[in-house]
Amino acid sequence: MPQLTSDLIRLNNLQLASKLVSDEMMLGIQTSRRSGVGTEFEQYRHYEPGDDPKRIDWKLFARSGHYLVRESATESNQQIRLLLDLSGSMNYAEAGVSRLQYAQILLASLAYLGYRQNDQLSLYGLQNGAVQALVPTGKQAFLKIVGTLETSEAAGQWTIKQPSFPDFSRKQAEMLVLVSDFLQIGDEWIKLIQSIAAPRREIVIFQILGDQELDFNLSGFYRFQDLETGKEIELQADAVRDTVRQAAADYLAKLDVALRIPHVRLIRVRLSDPIGRVLSAFLTGKNF
């Protein structure tokens, strides 16, 4: 049974929550140990074009239906940069789960998976129009990332005209994982992604949205607040339902088109989606 996000939040232990999500997602994918220098353990990853078919574990394929290849610790040394949107709109919540809490567990779970396969991990925050290096690559990066995520707070606006990641110029292949609502006033988020997209850089965007943001099934009189500026507006939900739904659909369609960039993948999830299931779909390359 998938771990509910609300249950994971009640644990009040991000490291444990990340392990529970990751173990749930990896259920059925086995790991084993073997001796030898530089081959401290062996794990599995999904087959990719160019891999030697002889490395596929056909017995595991018969049980799981997935093409998995063996990989030792020394073979998995990918640079993974985790980027967390810390603008005020990340405080949006539904059913007792905020977007920030969802993002914290999602990133901690990805960090745990990276830690298990000996990846190089680092964490960045995007807040008040600036990109902040929160945890650099190095020893105990996973524990530092979890600790930083636990104390992270969202506030302010994300407005940036000339986004730049000055230290993202390595030639080494890397993966950037951005978790955000990806809601923008102009095209600031799109420009950000376009500015850092590169052939040796895989960019994965987890766009987290609430059910009401997508479906807007509210009825009656409401006071709505912009979580970034604090501005409020009073509206009759029934009167604006169709307009809001159409605006949301148009915006998401625009994003889908704008982000059809090589090596960029957009994964749209709801706050009600089990995190383990989201990560499983991500790692297997399936649509969620």
Side-chain angles (χ1 to χ4, degrees), residues 98-171:
S98 76
R99 190 156 25 226
L100 179 61
Q101 290 170 324
Y102 194 104
Q104 289 167 329
I105 297 174
L106 177 63
L107 284 175
S109 301
L110 283 169
Y112 178 74
L113 290 171
Y115 164 73
R116 284 183 58 182
Q117 62 184 31
N118 203 37
D119 288 331
Q120 300 177 48
L121 302 169
S122 55
L123 176 66
Y124 295 77
L126 294 84
Q127 191 172 39
N128 297 323
V131 179
Q132 305 167 346
L134 302 179
V135 178
T137 300
K139 293 183 178 180
Q140 298 186 327
F142 167 65
L143 294 177
K144 293 177 182 177
I145 286 172
V146 170
T148 303
L149 287 172
E150 285 183 324
T151 58
S152 60
E153 297 181 354
Q157 302 181 59
W158 174 246
T159 55
I160 188 165
K161 296 180 179 179
Q162 295 180 337
S164 64
F165 288 77
D167 60 338
F168 279 27
S169 59
R170 301 181 173 216
K171 295 182 180 180

Side-chain angles (χ1 to χ4, degrees), residues 203-219:
I203 301 176
V204 180
I205 304 164
F206 287 95
Q207 183 183 25
I208 305 174
L209 298 171
D211 290 332
Q212 291 300 342
E213 290 178 306
L214 291 167
D215 303 330
F216 201 78
N217 289 321
L218 300 176
S219 181

Side-chain angles (χ1 to χ4, degrees), residues 189-204:
W189 282 117
I190 294 175
K191 290 179 179 178
L192 173 66
I193 298 302
Q194 290 174 338
S195 70
I196 59 177
R200 295 182 60 79
R201 179 175 297 137
E202 180 182 357
I203 301 176
V204 180

